[in-house]
């Protein structure tokens, strides 16, 4: 199993399965770039297993990528539903600062079904 898996369209599920190498992170950013090249609306569901971290270099590269692609993300990403295990985790990964930094809505959900329903609703609202 890959450390980062991305499946589905237009509701895209991203699974962080274990610590990602810098190469894994670069590939994921290339995969995200390909989503943006479609120039079509989509929603993301993110689920991260414990200890699925990134190196400081990968975090830096992700920060640069998000800064560079912020406008396109705002145009095509309808929102991100992040699956979390607790309210504390949800407050940490979908913080007020993170919500302000992203050009789309974000929410934390306790299970996949809830996240998928929210992602579908956001997508449907954006494409009507």
């Amino acid at each position: 199993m890959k450390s980062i898996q991305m499946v589905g369209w237009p509701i895209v599920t991203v699974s962080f399965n274990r610590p990602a190498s810098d190469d894994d992170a670069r590939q994921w950013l290339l995969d995200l770039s390909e989503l943006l090249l479609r120039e079509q609306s989509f929603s993301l569901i993110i689920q991260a297993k414990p200890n699925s971290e990134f190196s400081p270099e990968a975090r830096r590269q992700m920060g640069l990528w998000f800064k560079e692609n912020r406008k396109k993300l705002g145009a095509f990403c309808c929102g991100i539903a992040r699956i979390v295990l607790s309210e504390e985790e949800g407050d940490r990964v979908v913080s007020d600062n993170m919500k302000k930094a992203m050009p789309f809505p974000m929410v934390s959900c306790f299970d996949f079904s809830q996240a998928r329903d929210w992602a579908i609703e956001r997508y449907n609202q954006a494409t009507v």
Side-chain angles (χ1 to χ4, degrees):
M1 179 183 300
K2 294 169 57 175
S3 63
I4 304 171
Q5 289 183 294
M6 196 161 65
V7 297
W9 182 262
I11 308 303
V12 181
T13 301
V14 181
S15 300
F16 298 102
N17 299 308
R18 63 177 184 271
S21 69
D22 290 352
D23 286 340
D24 294 335
R26 276 191 286 278
Q27 182 59 54
W28 179 56
L29 295 176
L30 289 172
D31 293 344
L32 286 174
S33 294
E34 287 180 21
L35 290 183
L36 294 177
L37 288 174
R38 292 181 182 209
E39 296 188 351
Q40 297 175 354
S41 296
F42 63 94
S43 289
L44 289 174
I45 300 168
I46 296 178
Q47 50 190 2
K49 292 188 177 168
N51 301 317
S52 56
E53 297 112 10
F54 293 99
S55 72
E57 174 58 21
R59 289 180 193 274
R60 187 182 76 74
Q61 290 298 320
M62 288 188 297
L64 292 171
W65 186 92
F66 279 99
K67 184 176 180 180
E68 184 177 299
N69 289 283
R70 180 176 172 66
K71 187 174 181 179
K72 283 185 180 179
L73 282 167
F76 301 116
C77 184
C78 302
I80 292 180
R82 178 74 187 260
I83 300 171
V84 298
L85 299 174
S86 67
E87 285 188 39
E88 294 79 21
E89 180 186 9
D91 291 343
R92 182 178 54 80
V93 298
V94 184
S95 67
D96 288 340
N97 286 340
M98 179 66 81
K99 288 178 184 177
K100 290 176 190 172
M102 294 298 156
F104 44 72
M106 294 182 71
V107 67
S108 60
C109 302
F110 293 115
D111 61 47
F112 184 84
S113 178
Q114 180 187 24
R116 182 164 177 77
D117 289 348
W118 185 88
I120 290 169
E121 181 180 326
R122 292 294 313 156
Y123 174 78
N124 287 339
Q125 288 174 357
T127 58
V128 170

